[in-house]
Amino acid sequence: DGGITQSPKYLFRKEGQNVTLSCEQNLNHDAMYWYRQDPGQGLRLIYYSQIVNDFQKGDIAEGYSVSREKKESFPLTVTSAQKNPTAFYLCASSALGDEQFFGPGTRLTVL
Amino acid sequence: KNQVEQSPQSLIILEGKNCTLQCNYTVSPFSNLRWYKQDTGRGPVSLTIMTFSENTKSNGRYTATLDADTKQSSLHITASQLSDSASYICVVRDRLKLIFGSGTRLLVRP
């Protein structure tokens, strides 16, 4: 998992609640990414950030929000607008244009 | 549409046997192709990276091949071990982003 940590490992959410997933890296990487992984599907990009205080929507950004106030941190908020949030969420970081290193993931379950 | 297709979806082999996983892609422009190993409940870890000019690359018991003309790649695992049980994901990079295959789930039985 390199120098990327995600917390919590498991997260349970009631319908209508917002929850925030943490991602921290100590690799001095400029770029950070959030992916969603569902059974039988490839990873899908939610948001990415190439520099502090800037981020871009990925392929499935609806119902999610992010911030990048520090280089080391890229938290993801799953809002109540996300209709099917149960999934495995992976954070990654990279030097620009280089290999992405993944965190251990957070499994989110909606009760 | 840029796509990465992997086969088979799942595979069961006996410990010590060899196996080959397939990846076909339609990504353009092509920058590189990586094979990742993902243990259950963990993040993916890169096994190999291949660029357009490379045909074969090995990493221990893992050997990846690339045919850029037919847009196919394979990952060969030699003398499988129980610890090889995992999902193997083929990822192709175009100029801007990564396109992920859905993975092959490998189970190695004693």
Side-chain angles (χ1 to χ4, degrees):
Chain A
D1 302 326
I4 303 178
T5 58
Q6 291 185 241
S7 62
K9 188 171 178 64
Y10 300 97
L11 185 59
F12 298 90
R13 189 194 95 171
K14 293 181 180 179
E15 287 195 21
Q17 281 185 335
N18 293 353
V19 291
T20 297
L21 283 59
S22 170
C23 177
E24 304 278 334
Q25 55 100 0
N26 62 5
L27 300 170
N28 199 34
H29 286 162
D30 287 309
M32 298 188 73
Y33 313 81
W34 273 106
Y35 292 93
R36 171 180 171 140
Q37 187 174 36
D38 293 283
Q41 297 189 39
L43 273 68
R44 292 181 290 168
L45 182 64
I46 304 172
Y47 268 98
Y48 66 100
S49 168
Q50 294 184 310
I51 196 170
V52 174
N53 291 323
D54 186 51
F55 48 82
Q56 306 294 330
K57 292 182 179 180
D59 300 319
I60 56 164
E62 184 174 354
Y64 301 98
S65 66
V66 294
S67 62
R68 187 86 186 277
E69 297 177 1
K70 298 186 301 181
K71 187 175 185 178
E72 304 80 20
S73 179
F74 192 41
L76 173 74
T77 297
V78 184
T79 74
S80 57
Q82 170 49 238
K83 298 306 179 188
N84 184 22
T86 295
F88 190 54
Y89 290 86
L90 285 161
C91 178
S93 72
S94 73
L96 290 178
D98 205 352
E99 175 186 354
Q100 292 186 21
F101 293 87
F102 289 85
T106 292
R107 186 167 298 281
L108 173 63
T109 302
V110 173
L111 302 174
Chain B
K1 180 181 177 184
N2 285 338
Q3 284 188 314
V4 176
E5 302 286 343
Q6 292 188 244
S7 62
Q9 281 190 328
S10 61
L11 183 62
I12 301 174
I13 62 173
L14 292 176
E15 186 179 11
K17 298 296 186 182
N18 303 336
C19 67
T20 300
L21 314 179
Q22 301 290 342
C23 174
N24 296 338
Y25 61 93
T26 58
V27 177
S28 181
F30 173 90
S31 291
N32 60 52
L33 182 149
R34 283 187 190 271
W35 283 94
Y36 281 86
K37 178 185 179 187
Q38 184 178 20
D39 292 313
T40 300
R42 308 284 291 176
V45 176
S46 179
L47 294 173
T48 65
I49 178 174
M50 303 191 73
T51 58
F52 187 86
S53 59
E54 295 175 304
N55 299 119
T56 304
K57 184 170 282 188
S58 292
N59 177 3
R61 294 180 296 102
Y62 300 103
T63 299
T65 67
L66 175 66
D67 186 333
D69 292 331
T70 61
K71 298 187 176 181
Q72 295 180 325
S73 176
S74 66
L75 181 69
H76 186 74
I77 304 175
T78 304
S80 61
Q81 300 176 358
L82 299 179
S83 60
D84 292 331
S85 294
S87 290
Y88 292 85
I89 303 172
C90 176
V91 184
V92 180
R93 185 183 195 99
D94 67 10
R95 192 169 46 242
L96 297 174
K97 60 185 286 188
L98 302 181
I99 296 95
F100 291 79
S102 57
T104 292
R105 195 173 189 88
L106 174 65
L107 176 62
V108 180
R109 285 189 168 162

